[in-house]
Amino acid sequence: MISSDGPINRRTALLEQRQREETPTPVNPEALERALRAHLRNALGAPLAQQLAAVERPGAQQAPTGLFIGSGVLVACGAVIGLLGVIQSSGTTVGGGVATGMVGLMGLFWARRRSGNGSDATWPVQPLFDPETLDAFDRVLDSACAELGDAAMHQLMNIKQSIASIARHARGVDEHFTTEDRLFLRECLRRYIPDTLEAFLRVPAGQRNTALLDSQTTAEATLLRQLLTLREEIAQREKKIGRSAAEGLMQQDRFLASKRSR
């Protein structure tokens, strides 16, 4: 007697093959969760720490002094006077130009020497966000994104874009972008946004779309309102940095206007 575990005939073989193809392959829940979290992280974009890793972080910028500027003007004037003396074949004029230029060069040398000794004022240019704050913020978003809806994810994505833009362009403080603005942005990443997300996540998932306590607002709506408030405040600081940059451009415009031929 001959027996076999295979199909009896071709028709049976086709049926068994079709059944195998239609049978869903069991999915590992942990793998599914990892894939979902990876998708959500991609939706939020690259981590802030990674985006800002290449941002230049100089320690300080030298402030140009009056001596440095005046000496540079003397050098330029000496060159013009000397050239005029050559054109006019006037030794006296040439000598005056050389003397003026030498005085200017001595002034530049002295200004450089004082700058090397650290006696000149400097404008501190510190990074707006330290690496530890950025890493902690990225970890909070990574852990929260799996439980957030599309609207909250959209708000966080816009916040991250604004923060990244601000960090790239912020240089110092002035009448537009103040020390208080810098502190507010740091606290947004360190406390305000993480505290908002953590408070939302403490509400049980099944109760996030029901009214909170005695109010008519749900946890989901409250989260969105708080994120929108923070986003608007961050956007205001981004505009201030734009005004600071525009101020430098307008100063250059006024300088060039003063040099226009009469």
Side-chain angles (χ1 to χ4, degrees):
M1 180 178 179
I2 300 175
S3 63
S4 173
D5 293 334
I8 299 174
N9 52 44
R10 186 176 180 184
R11 176 175 170 276
T12 307
L14 290 174
L15 274 173
E16 291 182 1
Q17 180 181 356
R18 190 174 298 123
Q19 288 174 353
R20 285 195 301 270
E21 292 174 352
E22 291 175 355
T23 301
T25 304
V27 179
N28 187 328
E30 293 182 0
L32 185 61
E33 183 181 356
R34 286 196 299 269
L36 176 61
R37 291 173 69 86
H39 171 73
L40 293 172
R41 283 196 299 269
N42 291 335
L44 277 174
L48 273 177
Q50 180 181 334
Q51 293 185 47
L52 302 179
V55 175
E56 185 180 3
R57 302 178 185 276
Q61 255 182 2
Q62 290 291 344
T65 63
L67 176 62
F68 187 87
I69 295 173
S71 300
V73 172
L74 284 177
V75 171
C77 290
V80 172
I81 293 172
L83 179 61
L84 182 62
V86 171
I87 294 173
Q88 295 178 346
S89 300
S90 171
T92 303
T93 304
V94 172
V98 171
T100 302
M102 289 298 296
V103 171
L105 288 173
M106 291 175 63
L108 287 175
F109 174 78
W110 181 248
R112 290 279 188 182
R113 185 175 178 181
R114 290 183 61 195
S115 175
N117 292 333
S119 59
D120 286 340
T122 59
W123 295 329
V125 183
Q126 300 296 331
L128 189 54
F129 305 110
D130 59 89
E132 292 78 12
T133 298
L134 293 174
D135 288 334
F137 180 75
D138 288 328
R139 287 196 298 271
V140 169
L141 292 192
D142 184 50
S143 62
C145 62
E147 299 188 51
L148 300 178
D150 291 341
M153 294 283 287
H154 181 71
Q155 294 283 13
L156 288 171
M157 181 180 64
N158 288 330
I159 286 174
K160 280 186 63 174
Q161 290 174 349
S162 294
I163 289 292
S165 175
I166 289 171
R168 293 188 186 101
H169 295 96
R171 288 294 175 265
V173 297
D174 54 27
E175 67 273 20
H176 302 297
F177 188 66
T178 65
T179 301
E180 288 74 16
D181 293 324
R182 292 175 69 93
L183 292 175
F184 173 81
L185 291 168
R186 289 174 183 168
E187 290 303 298
C188 275
L189 264 61
R190 195 174 70 87
R191 288 175 45 214
Y192 303 157
I193 297 174
D195 288 355
T196 292
L197 294 175
E198 289 169 2
F200 171 77
L201 295 177
R202 282 196 293 270
V203 179
Q207 301 176 28
R208 291 172 186 169
N209 287 309
T210 58
L212 293 172
L213 302 177
D214 298 330
S215 70
Q216 299 300 313
T217 305
T218 66
E220 187 78 27
T222 302
L223 170 68
L224 293 177
R225 186 180 70 249
Q226 292 178 8
L227 289 178
L228 179 60
T229 298
L230 290 168
R231 176 188 169 190
E232 290 174 346
E233 289 297 323
I234 292 170
Q236 289 296 322
R237 272 68 180 185
E238 189 175 10
K239 289 179 181 179
K240 288 185 176 186
I241 288 181
R243 288 196 289 270
S244 297
E247 183 64 30
L249 181 62
M250 295 308 298
Q251 288 178 0
Q252 177 68 4
D253 191 62
R254 290 190 289 271
F255 170 77
L256 293 177
S258 69
K259 302 300 179 183
R260 189 176 301 159
S261 301
R262 304 298 180 187

